[in-house]
Amino acid sequence: MSNETKREKLIYAVYAALILSPLIVLGIQSFLVNKNLFFGVPTWSDELDYFREILSFKASGFSFNGSLFAGHEAVYGPFGAHSFSPILVWGLYSLFSWTEHSILICNLFLLCLAYTIFVLINKPRGKELFFVCVIAYIYSPLYLYLYTSMMEVPIYAFVIIYFSCMYRYISYPTKLRGVMMIVTGAFVALLRMPYIVLLLPAVLLLSGYKFNKKTVRNLIIYVVAFLLVYKVYNLFCADYPDWVTHRISAAPGIVGKLKVVYSNIIINLKRYFGFSTTPAQIALRYVYGFTILLFLIKSLFRVNNKKLEFKFEGKAFSMFVMLGGLFAIMVSLYDIKDYRDFRTFGIVLFFALIYLFTERKGDLLYKYIGVFFVLILFFTSFYDGLTRDRVIVRKAITYEAFKEEFSDVSIEGKAIGATWDINWGDAGLLKSIPGKLGYKVFIEGEEIENLDSVDFVLSSYKYMGKHPELGEKLEFMFDVDRKYLVYKVK
């Protein structure tokens, strides 16, 4: 066997390791924590909302009656604060199967598929292939959510596909490849609106990285298209009272709205540069900030004979603008707390690092700095045991009482609302409630005024004892194992 043949076999073996990295990493994590994380089920409120929304969608299509918070419904459609994004990601998969493990399985499949597309399009070799394998195996903002049912995992997959289309266009530009690049990038933005910044490098690439009339035109189209899509998106997106945008909308007048933004910026900047949270979150914030500076330097200087010399690089500058743009959005219009920024920053940082690692003529110095940043994230992530509250079961316990008691009741187009002590409950509870019912959660204190948003109420003895005023508006139907109470709204 020739050396060339051995080399080719080794490369294909590394390709296989890259494609299967989500499965291998999850297997390693399962071994380390002594839990089969492949059997993880929706646990956090966002995951349970995704799971339940798709469960209702599978049962009733778009006619199910809502999700997320009662009294905060979207203008059109049944979707909650995540809008139609869960349907875009998991809707097709749900037509074949939908269990408590479906999101996790689908997410792993999408990641493996994305890496396959990346390999087929890019065919990375040598150092580039090594660097990509490094980020695939030890990039903590991804693997800390690999065993969850969070939206971030499939977004990583679609970001990889988007990047693959961009990389192909850079190598062999054609109109079709340009369209594919924009379409895949726009799809990522539809999943989460802040990721509109990921399209900035594509827009500047199509403009030739020059400041001229073409660039101005493309940027105007980019901004106008985003505003139109954002307006339409919000018609199908329910209000979320905790959002900064909700507080801005509720503030009186322009001055009042600017005060909310200013206050939010000050609070978020203090949190961003503070050290009062977990090591993983602190590391991500500082790594992200230094990566912005890294791409600014890279866009202005190159290494030549071990010396820095001035030379403008448009591709690196586009990454700088993208990273800085998300920073501005997050600080002014979102929250720097509770892993919200960790999850959001992590995806855009991943995109920038993948670009850095796959740049075939790029300076190795910048690649090594990128690897150093990934290692910082990796080592600080050991302190974050996100598996501590992870529910791992082969099959969630269900309650047949719901099926029996609702069997003779018309529930088409109706909804059940859960009181605050139950909140979302767990995967077993959500599986038990008939899929044709919409599922909404009351914000404590808003139950009475928002009872007209639901047809049934799910509560507990403890909660009803503390809120006797609810009983006057409800008609008792049945209890479930002395654990849950179900009422019909009078």
Side-chain angles (χ1 to χ4, degrees):
M1 185 182 296
S2 67
N3 289 334
E4 186 63 28
T5 302
K6 290 180 180 179
R7 177 180 172 80
E8 286 300 309
K9 286 189 174 182
L10 177 61
I11 288 174
Y12 281 110
V14 178
Y15 284 165
L18 176 61
I19 291 169
L20 297 176
S21 60
L23 305 179
I24 296 171
V25 170
L26 195 56
I28 293 171
Q29 288 176 298
S30 296
F31 173 78
L32 292 176
V33 300
N34 197 29
K35 296 178 182 179
N36 190 341
L37 298 177
F38 289 92
F39 286 110
V41 300
T43 303
W44 302 326
S45 59
D46 280 359
E47 300 173 272
L48 292 165
D49 180 43
Y50 299 143
F51 172 69
R52 179 63 205 190
E53 183 171 309
I54 302 295
L55 186 68
S56 292
F57 170 76
K58 181 177 175 62
S60 301
F62 293 103
S63 63
F64 72 93
N65 193 23
S67 66
L68 212 64
F69 293 121
H72 296 268
E73 289 78 13
V75 177
Y76 299 109
F79 308 117
H82 302 112
S83 193
F84 45 73
S85 298
I87 307 298
L88 291 179
V89 176
W90 303 300
L92 180 62
Y93 183 87
S94 72
L95 300 179
F96 302 96
S97 172
W98 198 251
T99 70
E100 56 269 48
H101 303 295
S102 291
I103 295 180
L104 177 59
I105 295 169
C106 186
N107 288 353
L108 292 173
F109 169 78
L110 287 172
L111 270 176
C112 292
L113 176 64
Y115 282 124
T116 302
I117 293 171
F118 175 79
V119 166
L120 291 174
I121 291 179
N122 296 343
K123 298 180 175 62
R125 299 204 168 212
K127 292 185 178 69
E128 289 74 29
L129 179 56
F130 169 76
F131 288 137
V132 172
C133 283
V134 166
I135 197 171
Y137 275 88
I138 67 170
Y139 188 68
S140 62
L142 170 56
Y143 76 64
L144 284 177
Y145 292 91
L146 201 56
Y147 42 77
T148 74
S149 297
M150 293 294 283
M151 177 72 73
E152 279 68 23
V153 180
I155 291 179
Y156 275 102
F158 290 113
V159 162
I160 293 169
I161 295 172
Y162 164 55
F163 176 79
S164 300
C165 293
M166 176 183 286
Y167 191 91
R168 188 64 173 171
Y169 179 82
I170 292 172
S171 304
Y172 306 99
T174 66
K175 286 186 178 180
L176 178 59
R177 288 169 184 152
V179 170
M180 287 298 298
M181 175 177 64
I182 295 297
V183 168
T184 51
F187 184 81
V188 174
L190 279 178
L191 300 182
R192 287 277 173 82
M193 281 291 125
Y195 297 132
I196 189 66
V197 298
L198 286 167
L199 274 170
L200 270 169
V203 171
L204 296 177
L205 171 60
L206 293 173
S207 306
Y209 303 115
K210 297 177 182 177
F211 188 74
N212 52 28
K213 289 182 180 179
K214 183 180 180 181
T215 304
V216 173
R217 181 201 66 191
N218 288 346
L219 287 174
I220 290 174
I221 293 172
Y222 166 77
V223 172
V224 171
F226 166 68
L227 292 175
L228 289 174
V229 171
Y230 183 68
K231 181 68 176 178
V232 173
Y233 182 90
N234 278 343
L235 294 176
F236 299 93
C237 183
D239 183 32
Y240 188 72
D242 194 37
W243 278 344
V244 177
T245 49
H246 171 80
R247 301 201 300 272
I248 293 172
S249 178
I254 298 297
V255 174
K257 297 179 189 304
L258 290 175
K259 285 182 178 180
V260 173
V261 174
Y262 174 76
S263 174
N264 196 58
I265 290 172
I266 299 301
I267 291 171
N268 281 336
L269 285 176
K270 288 180 179 178
R271 289 173 178 164
Y272 191 96
F273 294 105
F275 293 88
S276 59
T277 185
T278 65
Q281 293 181 75
I282 295 169
L284 188 282
R285 290 168 188 170
Y286 277 88
V287 163
Y288 190 89
F290 281 116
T291 304
I292 296 175
L293 294 176
L294 177 69
F295 275 99
L296 176 60
I297 295 170
K298 181 173 167 55
S299 68
L300 299 175
F301 301 96
R302 70 173 182 177
V303 179
N304 188 20
N305 294 324
K306 298 183 180 180
K307 294 182 180 180
L308 284 178
E309 62 180 27
F310 178 80
K311 184 178 180 181
F312 179 74
E313 183 191 325
K315 286 187 287 186
F317 183 75
S318 71
M319 295 292 161
F320 162 72
V321 174
M322 175 192 73
L323 291 162
L326 182 66
F327 178 85
I329 291 172
M330 293 293 292
V331 169
S332 60
L333 300 175
Y334 201 49
D335 293 311
I336 306 297
K337 67 175 183 179
D338 296 338
Y339 282 92
R340 295 179 183 181
D341 58 300
F342 182 89
R343 298 193 297 263
T344 308
F345 281 135
I347 288 172
V348 175
L349 178 62
F350 179 86
F351 181 85
L353 291 173
I354 285 285
Y355 158 77
L356 183 67
F357 293 154
T358 55
E359 189 183 25
R360 288 177 178 170
K361 294 183 180 180
D363 295 322
L364 279 175
L365 173 62
Y366 293 115
K367 295 179 188 287
Y368 291 142
I369 293 174
V371 171
F372 175 67
F373 286 163
V374 173
L375 288 172
I376 290 175
L377 298 177
F378 175 67
F379 287 116
T380 55
S381 69
F382 293 154
Y383 296 94
D384 284 53
L386 298 185
T387 61
R388 284 191 302 245
D389 59 356
R390 181 72 6 202
V391 176
I392 311 292
V393 293
R394 289 183 177 270
K395 190 172 182 179
I397 297 173
T398 55
Y399 304 94
E400 293 299 318
F402 287 99
K403 185 187 296 184
E404 295 170 2
E405 297 292 341
F406 278 115
S407 60
D408 297 326
V409 179
S410 175
I411 55 177
E412 291 284 349
K414 294 183 178 180
I416 187 168
T419 52
W420 193 242
D421 64 332
I422 293 175
N423 198 343
W424 282 101
D426 57 25
L429 174 63
L430 295 187
K431 275 182 63 180
S432 305
I433 298 169
K436 291 185 179 181
L437 277 176
Y439 187 93
K440 304 178 184 180
V441 175
F442 288 107
I443 295 178
E444 191 164 12
E446 293 187 355
E447 298 93 341
I448 293 293
E449 61 190 88
N450 289 322
L451 280 177
D452 59 350
S453 297
V454 299
D455 304 277
F456 308 96
V457 169
L458 173 65
S459 190
S460 67
Y461 287 100
K462 180 180 178 182
Y463 197 85
M464 293 303 293
K466 290 182 178 179
H467 298 80
E469 69 279 3
L470 273 176
E472 300 175 7
K473 305 285 185 178
L474 305 173
E475 177 185 332
F476 177 75
M477 289 181 64
F478 62 95
D479 75 346
V480 182
D481 294 351
R482 301 291 296 174
K483 187 175 184 180
Y484 302 115
L485 299 171
V486 178
Y487 298 85
K488 185 176 182 180
V489 178
K490 291 180 182 179

